[in-house]
Amino acid sequence: MAVLPIRTVPDPILRKKTKRVTTIDKSVKKLITDMLETLHADEGRAGLAAPQVGVSLRITVIGLPEEEDIILINGQIVRRRGERIVNEGCLSIPGYMGEVKRAESVTAKGLDINGKEIRIKGEGLLSQALEHELDHLDGVLYIDKLTSPDTLHKIQPEDTETE
Ligand SMILES: [Zn+2]
């Protein structure tokens, strides 16, 4: 296991559309193990997408306080409900947060680490994390979705959760 370095803007890998995982082999499993370790290396981390650790594959992990970790391979959002404005940050854009419009709840589908199809329905922070992490897989960052560029502001590093 290893804690991987986090890629930050303007690293071009963050803007690349990722490839689907065709086989969940040893290297994919090792990557997921390392992503989970990286996610838990700092308690402010809520989620991580593979491009953030330099791998252009459709893999995301989410770890929220008091919840079981979620591993999602080839994940995609299949349903969005409602709208709300949230304050959001990203591990790949350290030191900043901004206002983004997100759904109230989403349903995502994909594969678990054993290749079994799963559906995850999330509200609140989980819904936000699913949208944020799955956006990463298409090269989309929250700064692309700001309600207004003026909402982007500097934060103290220990302030809040970032994805
Ligand atoms: Zn992010």
Side-chain angles (χ1 to χ4, degrees), residues 52 89-92 132-133 136 141 163:
Q52 292 183 282
C90 178
L91 289 172
S92 295
H132 180 107
E133 300 312 333
H136 269 298
L141 301 172
E163 295 146 12

Side-chain angles (χ1 to χ4, degrees), residues 35-130:
M35 283 174 69
L36 286 171
E37 187 165 346
T38 306
L39 179 66
H40 293 297
D42 188 320
E43 60 180 34
R45 297 178 175 179
L48 201 61
Q52 292 183 282
V53 293
V55 181
S56 198
L57 282 175
R58 269 196 102 75
I59 301 172
T60 52
V61 294
I62 293 172
L64 297 175
E66 327 247 317
E67 302 278 342
E68 238 180 273
D69 287 339
I70 293 169
I71 296 162
L72 198 56
I73 299 168
N74 297 340
Q76 63 182 98
I77 305 275
V78 290
R79 178 182 286 177
R80 285 186 168 82
R81 280 185 190 232
E83 263 182 18
R84 63 196 172 118
I85 306 289
V86 291
N87 210 11
E88 195 159 306
C90 178
L91 289 172
S92 295
I93 309 168
Y96 286 88
M97 289 194 92
E99 263 187 26
V100 185
K101 193 189 282 179
R102 292 289 187 197
E104 294 269 2
S105 70
V106 297
T107 304
K109 69 169 189 179
L111 305 175
D112 71 8
I113 196 159
N114 300 309
K116 190 176 152 245
E117 266 206 47
I118 49 169
R119 264 175 189 262
I120 299 159
K121 194 172 174 195
E123 295 180 354
L125 206 51
L126 176 56
S127 173
Q128 185 183 353
L130 284 166

